Amino acid sequence: MSHNIQGFIFNKRETAERFSHFENAHLIDMEQGFVFIPLTNALADEIGGKEDSPYEVFWKFNPNIEALLVDNSKDGMITYLETDYWGGDGEQAAAIWYKGILYFGPKHSKIGAISRCLKLMKAVKNDMYDEFEAIGLTKFRSNDDWIEHANALKN
């Protein structure tokens, strides 16, 4: 099985609403008050920018996405994340923007990079394996699955 997602995590619905003007932004409520917006190809196209990522740990990231994060992190932390797993092998990467600057990362690892960001954003693992699982990011394994879930909730 694979796990391949890219997107944005916020811990305040109000911050996430700043993305709502994008036609292809699907705001998905997660556990502990977090919101996930999958970075689909359609949303990436809408944001624009075809330049390479300024951070080699990210493959779907570009300077326009970073400008969006800088602009929208003025009153709340925003994590950008990517996972790429197949059959248990793979990697993940994540970084936090806060108050208009890159606050933490980017970090890259087999496991734990995203949970480190979520912990800084005050996610609590409780009795789960880690913060990634605790906010519900293990529910679906692709951005397409997340979008299908978001659309089902609307209907």
Side-chain angles (χ1 to χ4, degrees):
M1 298 232 49
S2 68
H3 192 281
N4 190 292
I5 61 172
Q6 308 80 38
F8 311 98
I9 295 280
F10 306 80
N11 60 1
K12 288 190 212 172
R13 183 82 181 169
E14 303 80 50
T15 303
E17 292 293 339
R18 294 180 181 181
F19 280 69
S20 64
H21 68 281
F22 289 106
E23 181 180 324
N24 294 294
H26 298 271
L27 282 63
I28 302 167
D29 290 318
M30 306 293 285
E31 299 296 325
Q32 300 183 28
F34 286 90
V35 176
F36 175 55
I37 300 176
L39 180 61
T40 60
N41 290 338
L43 179 56
D45 288 345
E46 193 175 352
I47 293 169
K50 298 294 181 192
E51 303 88 2
D52 288 338
S53 173
Y55 307 104
E56 63 183 49
V57 301
F58 297 132
W59 66 271
K60 201 167 186 177
F61 196 85
N62 67 48
N64 285 18
I65 293 169
E66 183 164 35
L68 184 67
L69 290 165
V70 166
D71 205 37
N72 288 293
S73 66
K74 300 220 182 328
D75 29 306
M77 290 183 175
I78 303 173
T79 289
Y80 176 77
L81 61 88
E82 295 184 356
T83 68
D84 186 20
Y85 292 98
W86 178 256
D89 288 330
E91 56 197 18
Q92 59 180 254
I96 297 175
W97 279 259
Y98 181 50
K99 296 193 179 200
I101 61 166
L102 179 61
Y103 177 78
F104 178 80
K107 295 293 181 190
H108 174 259
S109 64
K110 291 245 180 233
I111 60 168
I114 296 169
S115 285
R116 288 179 70 190
C117 289
L118 293 172
K119 190 173 186 174
L120 287 169
M121 295 175 73
K122 307 297 185 213
V124 180
K125 74 177 190 170
N126 295 318
D127 60 348
M128 301 294 192
Y129 175 76
D130 60 12
E131 291 78 8
F132 186 94
E133 181 183 14
I135 71 160
L137 282 170
T138 56
K139 276 185 178 177
F140 301 102
R141 303 177 85 56
S142 71
N143 282 350
D144 289 342
D145 291 344
W146 279 108
I147 299 304
E148 187 177 313
H149 169 70
N151 288 336
L153 291 176
K154 288 180 190 175
N155 297 327

